[in-house]
Amino acid sequence: MLNDAADVIVVGGSYAGLSAALQLARARQRVVVVDAGQRRNRFARTSHGFLGQDGRAAAGIAQDARTQLLAYPNVQWLAGTAVAAQAQEEGFVLTTAEQTLRAQRLVLALGVVDELPAIEGLAERWGQSVFHCPYCHGYELNQGRIGVLASGEMSLHHAMLLPDWGRVTLFLNRSFVPDAAQLAALAGRGVVLEETPVVALVDQATLLLADGRQVVQDGLFTLTRTRLGSALPEQLGCALEQGPTGSYIRIGATMETTVAGVFACGDAARAFGNVAISVGDGALAGASAHRSLIFS
């Protein structure tokens, strides 16, 4: 049974949450990490672009971090889902399916959920041959054939970036129509346009088009819609920002939300992010939560 009182509860035990909890553990605070086990990059075999960990299995990085964190005796881990949270006069109450926890501060490292385009075969290949981050997965395509499956006008940014990693075809898929300036920019980057709608993905990253053609690619990138991984920010009254792919938690320079004593980090608190950014944000959120206990 967990102690029901802590200095800080960290909600979310992926990279940002682990990093925040580590700072707090080393400050000798009583920390509880509540984790539902839904790490966003759980579908990817490897993680890239994180200094000192480049090319390692994503799950291995997270597991090593958890092992190191739990070596601190002032840290407790609760596998479960946080279903409710509210502010009280002397802190916060957080409820899971198993119990009620209390803390003076909260760190929300909730992550986001990716909502994929409704294309047959895409979900099964997510994180394997279908990706969202060029910096995380572009290099491994070895300057090969790269498809961009448009999901809106923001897909133009994917198509403009990715020629540095390979030969790019932008599949418009009736998602947006580039204007003259955008067409000129794409042509300048050598991007090929395909207007015929995509019906399905087959093989590794082969796109089956509505006219029956199959376009073989070595990898495919698409921008997902995202939603916050929990309703806790809204329950607590945290203000949200609207980003190009979905809403995220508004934070200040110290990672504190618009609710005093509630901090946020990771993908839930950024329009875009990756493992390295999440770890950095988590470290700042954890240290800021600790300082707030002293100076606020």
Side-chain angles (χ1 to χ4, degrees):
M1 175 66 70
L2 287 167
N3 295 329
D4 66 358
D7 296 309
V8 184
I9 298 172
V10 177
V11 185
S14 189
Y15 307 101
L18 288 163
S19 182
L22 183 60
Q23 306 306 311
L24 290 157
R26 293 187 53 77
R28 297 189 177 274
Q29 303 302 293
R30 297 169 300 163
V31 183
V32 175
V33 179
V34 180
D35 181 52
Q38 297 295 301
R39 184 171 40 83
R40 186 184 185 188
N41 71 348
R42 63 192 182 277
F43 303 103
R45 296 188 186 96
T46 54
S47 174
H48 295 276
F50 181 19
L51 189 65
Q53 303 291 333
D54 189 48
R56 281 199 63 197
I61 297 172
Q63 184 56 55
D64 284 355
R66 177 179 170 178
T67 298
Q68 292 170 8
L69 174 65
L70 292 180
Y72 290 85
N74 47 320
V75 177
Q76 299 181 83
W77 188 280
L78 174 59
T81 301
V83 296
Q86 63 180 20
Q88 293 191 334
E89 186 174 341
E90 295 185 357
F92 300 90
V93 173
L94 184 135
T95 305
T96 73
E98 292 81 16
Q99 66 186 100
T100 297
L101 305 171
R102 292 170 176 80
Q104 296 181 63
R105 299 290 186 270
L106 293 179
V107 175
L108 304 180
L110 307 163
V112 295
V113 176
D114 290 294
E115 297 178 343
L116 303 175
I119 299 292
E120 180 183 343
L122 190 147
E124 296 90 323
R125 294 164 176 81
W126 183 240
Q128 307 299 313
S129 59
V130 181
F131 313 105
H132 80 290
C133 175
Y135 297 97
C136 302
H137 301 288
Y139 187 87
E140 281 61 46
L141 296 178
N142 296 314
Q143 298 183 308
R145 300 158 296 184
I146 298 174
V148 174
L149 178 63
S151 58
E153 190 166 353
M154 276 297 296
S155 296
L156 176 72
H157 292 261
H158 257 160
M160 290 294 292
L161 281 172
L162 278 159
D164 284 346
W165 285 277
R167 304 185 304 278
V168 175
T169 300
L170 172 59
F171 297 85
L172 293 172
N173 203 39
R174 295 175 177 166
S175 292
F176 83 104
V177 178
D179 61 25
Q182 291 169 334
L183 287 171
L186 290 165
R189 291 287 282 161
V191 176
V192 175
L193 297 186
E194 176 57 67
E195 296 184 9
T196 306
V198 176
V199 174
L201 264 65
V202 296
D203 301 326
Q204 175 177 310
T206 298
L207 293 92
L208 174 62
L209 305 185
D211 60 9
R213 286 182 294 138
Q214 293 191 11
V215 184
V216 179
Q217 303 287 277
D218 296 301
L220 183 68
F221 286 80
T222 191
L223 277 176
T224 63
R225 293 296 301 173
T226 60
R227 56 181 171 84
L228 292 174
S230 169
L232 295 188
E234 293 179 88
Q235 292 176 11
L236 290 161
C238 300
L240 304 181
E241 301 274 9
Q242 187 61 42
T245 64
S247 59
Y248 59 98
I249 304 168
R250 182 188 300 170
I251 53 171
T254 64
M255 314 303 287
E256 191 167 23
T257 71
T258 55
V259 176
V262 179
F263 298 78
C265 53
D267 290 345
R270 276 190 178 271
F272 297 104
N274 61 22
V275 172
I277 292 171
S278 291
V279 169
D281 284 354
L284 178 55
S288 296
H290 173 238
R291 288 195 293 267
S292 77
L293 290 168
I294 300 166
F295 296 113
S296 294

